[in-house]
Amino acid sequence: MAARTTTASVPGLVKDLVDQFSDPLAFYRELIQNSIDAGSNRIDVVLEYDEKTGVARFSVEDDGEGMDERIIDDYFLVLFRSTKEDDLTKIGKFGVGLVSVFSLRPELVRVHTAKAGESWRLDFPSFRRYDKYRVAAMREGTLVEIFKKLEPAAYARLAQDSLKTVRFWCRYSETRITFQDRRAGGEPVMVNEPFDLPGGASLRHSEEGTELVLGFSAEPKPLFGFYNKGLTLKEGFHPHFAGVSFRIKSRYLEHTITRDNVLEDDNYRKAMDIVARLVEEKLPPLLRQEMKDAAGRIAGRAASGEAPDPALSAAWEARAPFLKTLFSGRFARWKRSDWRLFPSVTGRALSLSELEDALSESDGVLYAAATADRVASALADRGFPVLVPGPWMNELGGSWLGGVSVREASSSFMQPGLLPEAKLDAALRALLKTLSTLDAASGAKYRGIAAADFDYAGSCIADRLFVTQAEPGALSAVDEPVASSLFSLWRSRRHAVLNAGHPFVRSLSKVHADMPGLAAFMLLKSLHLHDGPVPVGKAGKYSNLAEKAEGRLLSAALKLDRGPR
């Protein structure tokens, strides 16, 4: 096997090309690209390390068409010449694939290839010279080996970076690619991944030689990517289209000579025109359906009392930026005002027009509730808009509904669960009877005194001793202005509703068994002191009224406790 040795005629130019590769591992991209262009069905990247010599071997092997001597001499070894120049099915254009391996500064580069009954081996001790050998043994395709001395730790880092590099540049390749680090052990891993977007694509589209995937993104700068035969030309984040991420795989797209960008030529502009058309025509109806589905599922969980699913809210939020572009402008929003996009606690998704109608019932207030609890259901029954809290609330509270007020339903309203007499224990039932008797004896400040469950789902009154209501157990505003019972006229008297589970009420129920007057006196006095604010300028009158009421209460209480038992 005689060698024919040649010194590179343009070493300075080759060195300049080597230096252009800022990433030493970019050679993987170049060699895999050449293998794909050679019609390979498989490409195997294998790394090995000899612990004794400290030499690492990086190899890229394919089953492509290989090379005979004419191709080797006339194309492979001649800079800036390529058999691919006018073939759009090939992605290498500049004939610099082999040069890229020298960016790793190897001790030796070896190429094995065969075609048409010829089998060859080329050894490159450096980019300045090579030795060419004709060999007897035939092989399939081409094998490129790079040998480099490395410390074990340096090899381990380079092996990890190699897998990351191959995945970044080649994960969407249409040719099967495997990677194996034999020093680490284990089977080869598949590099290829489905051509998709994070979280999945909403739209897939194909035209002659071009495939696109588009999806919705909540990021200010959505993801984009350009690929040829699945090899990465450029990836990044940029608001090409607000709220839309996309990837384009096209045989018409090319990379720049520096290999770090997509060539923005006529083919690039045609590809971007396709994306623009899909964004304008195909994405809006998909957005409507996907947001409606997400809102419906969120509403259904709320209506059935299930815990919120963060993934559903995230799905809605990811589509919100694109929705904003569609809603920009009053007329544009009006055209889509029937889209059911906003989850309510009733189990339905509501539209903008439905919300606007409902806001007329609630005096322009939009309410939020995590589930269809007692208060939220009562508000919805009145026709008030009650939505599940989520990212849509900020948008609705902003420009979409003209700056409406957004409030939490359970913090704005209360609805104590009135307990019928049959469900009260004997001690509490007896205390309530004495309270009514004592209240009547001191001037009947309340229309009635009842007990209720304050500890319902979403309750904001669970810790209160009592509330006063026009109708006991009804839905009423928490901040409803009420006058103290001491100032109330006959027609304006309210019901006192006690918290049946409050510790003070339970304690007094026990005291009542032995001292009914004392128990009722203490509870009614607490009610009088806290059942309404004192009007401005009437503190003196309030003190007089309170003193008189307390005197009558005490007198009635003493009679109860002195009486026969």
Side-chain angles (χ1 to χ4, degrees):
M1 182 173 61
R4 280 175 273 178
T5 302
T6 303
T7 301
S9 59
V10 284
L13 181 57
V14 175
K15 184 179 185 303
D16 289 342
L17 288 172
V18 170
D19 292 341
Q20 84 164 349
F21 293 97
S22 57
D23 178 7
L25 298 181
F27 74 86
Y28 286 118
R29 172 190 65 201
E30 302 299 325
L31 294 183
I32 290 173
Q33 174 179 300
N34 285 344
S35 296
I36 292 173
D37 290 347
S40 304
N41 294 307
R42 66 164 183 81
I43 302 169
D44 299 319
V45 180
V46 179
L47 279 62
E48 296 177 291
Y49 186 73
D50 189 324
E51 301 284 351
K52 294 180 180 179
T53 64
V55 174
R57 173 181 173 268
F58 306 83
S59 69
V60 177
E61 184 175 14
D62 65 51
D63 63 352
E65 61 184 355
M67 295 177 287
D68 56 22
E69 186 173 26
R70 183 187 67 83
I71 295 175
I72 291 172
D73 291 343
D74 293 349
Y75 296 96
F76 187 64
L77 297 174
V78 178
L79 294 174
F80 292 102
R81 291 187 60 186
S82 171
T83 60
K84 316 160 192 171
E85 193 61 38
D86 297 316
D87 186 351
L88 286 174
T89 67
K90 315 294 176 128
I91 53 180
K93 303 291 181 184
F94 307 109
V96 296
L98 177 64
V99 173
S100 67
V101 301
F102 295 104
S103 62
L104 195 61
R105 302 298 189 265
E107 273 66 48
L108 174 68
V109 176
R110 177 167 287 163
V111 180
H112 307 263
T113 189
K115 183 178 182 181
E118 300 177 13
S119 186
W120 297 91
R121 191 187 92 197
L122 295 94
D123 289 348
F124 297 83
S126 75
F127 62 81
R128 299 178 184 277
R129 59 180 293 271
Y130 62 86
D131 298 323
K132 185 173 69 172
Y133 303 87
R134 183 158 188 166
V135 297
M138 292 296 294
R139 63 168 294 108
E140 182 182 20
T142 299
L143 167 65
V144 179
E145 300 174 296
I146 302 102
F147 299 90
K148 181 175 178 63
K149 288 186 69 68
L150 289 168
E151 294 294 325
Y155 169 81
R157 290 192 298 271
L158 206 56
Q160 291 180 349
D161 292 342
S162 292
L163 179 55
K164 292 178 182 177
T165 297
V166 174
R167 278 182 169 157
F168 174 78
W169 292 108
C170 309
R171 66 190 183 279
Y172 300 129
S173 169
E174 298 167 3
T175 302
R176 174 184 173 275
I177 301 174
T178 64
F179 182 95
Q180 184 180 23
D181 176 8
R182 287 180 177 166
R183 185 195 185 210
E187 296 296 318
V189 297
M190 187 69 67
V191 172
N192 307 72
E193 297 177 10
F195 189 58
D196 209 343
L197 291 167
S202 292
L203 175 63
R204 296 182 176 274
H205 179 81
S206 296
E207 295 189 9
E208 178 63 31
T210 302
E211 181 182 354
L212 301 94
V213 288
L214 291 87
F216 302 105
S217 172
E219 299 299 325
K221 295 182 179 180
L223 170 72
F224 71 89
F226 299 94
Y227 314 84
N228 186 309
K229 284 199 171 180
L231 295 188
T232 303
L233 302 177
K234 185 177 183 180
E235 280 187 346
F237 298 90
H238 184 77
H240 290 282
F241 304 93
V244 177
S245 56
F246 65 90
R247 284 187 165 121
I248 307 174
K249 182 166 58 174
S250 174
R251 65 187 178 95
Y252 299 103
L253 295 174
E254 301 181 31
H255 50 55
T256 59
I257 194 169
T258 57
R259 302 298 212 264
D260 61 357
N261 206 340
V262 62
L263 188 63
E264 296 189 11
D265 57 4
D266 287 342
N267 289 325
Y268 168 85
R269 286 183 281 275
K270 288 177 182 178
M272 292 302 290
D273 286 344
I274 296 173
V275 180
R277 172 167 52 84
L278 295 175
V279 168
E280 182 179 354
E281 298 176 2
K282 300 293 185 180
L283 283 189
L286 286 174
L287 177 82
R288 177 181 185 178
Q289 187 60 50
E290 290 180 7
M291 294 191 82
K292 177 184 176 183
D293 290 345
R297 292 174 63 188
I298 294 168
R301 294 180 70 89
S304 61
E306 292 182 79
D309 183 351
L312 292 175
S313 292
W316 197 100
E317 188 173 21
R319 288 153 179 78
F322 188 64
L323 181 65
K324 287 182 184 180
T325 65
L326 298 183
F327 274 14
S328 59
R330 181 69 181 175
F331 181 70
R333 190 162 65 250
W334 174 81
K335 286 198 306 181
R336 300 174 175 91
S337 62
D338 62 338
W339 289 15
R340 297 183 183 275
L341 308 176
F342 310 104
S344 75
V345 295
T346 63
R348 295 177 60 246
L350 303 179
S351 66
L352 271 179
S353 60
E354 288 176 311
L355 287 174
E356 288 173 333
D357 291 342
L359 285 169
S360 63
E361 298 292 329
S362 64
D363 294 327
V365 178
L366 182 63
Y367 293 100
T371 60
D373 56 34
R374 182 183 299 173
V375 168
S377 298
L379 286 173
D381 289 343
R382 287 191 181 185
F384 287 15
V386 185
L387 298 184
V388 182
W392 43 86
M393 300 300 286
N394 288 337
E395 305 301 338
L396 289 169
S399 60
W400 290 357
L401 288 175
V404 299
S405 174
V406 178
R407 300 178 189 172
E408 185 179 348
S410 60
S411 297
S412 303
F413 287 87
M414 61 181 175
Q415 190 175 28
L418 202 62
L419 297 173
E421 186 175 346
K423 286 193 175 183
L424 299 176
D425 61 62
L428 181 55
R429 192 162 56 244
L431 175 60
L432 287 176
K433 185 175 181 180
T434 302
L435 285 172
S436 297
T437 300
L438 204 60
D439 182 52
S442 63
K445 302 304 179 184
Y446 300 105
R447 291 177 61 189
I449 302 175
D453 172 24
F454 281 28
D455 194 18
Y456 54 86
S459 172
C460 65
I461 59 172
D463 295 331
R464 288 199 191 183
L465 173 63
F466 77 105
V467 295
T468 60
Q469 292 186 295
E471 294 296 332
L475 179 73
S476 58
V478 171
D479 59 357
E480 180 182 11
V482 294
S484 169
S485 60
L486 297 178
F487 288 96
S488 299
L489 298 175
W490 180 261
R491 291 183 180 178
S492 62
R493 286 187 307 152
R494 297 165 65 84
H495 290 265
V497 183
L498 299 178
N499 182 352
H502 197 281
F504 189 54
V505 174
R506 292 201 304 268
S507 296
L508 290 179
S509 295
K510 295 177 181 178
V511 171
H512 181 269
D514 295 320
M515 293 177 286
L518 176 64
F521 170 77
M522 292 178 66
L523 191 49
L524 280 173
K525 182 176 180 179
S526 296
L527 266 59
H528 289 168
L529 288 172
H530 300 99
D531 71 349
V534 177
V536 176
K538 293 188 177 182
K541 183 178 180 182
Y542 176 83
S543 297
N544 290 333
L545 290 172
E547 185 178 351
K548 292 178 181 178
E550 185 173 341
R552 288 193 295 268
L553 275 176
L554 185 57
S555 176
L558 290 173
K559 288 181 181 179
L560 283 175
D561 287 347
R562 283 198 300 264
R565 291 193 287 276

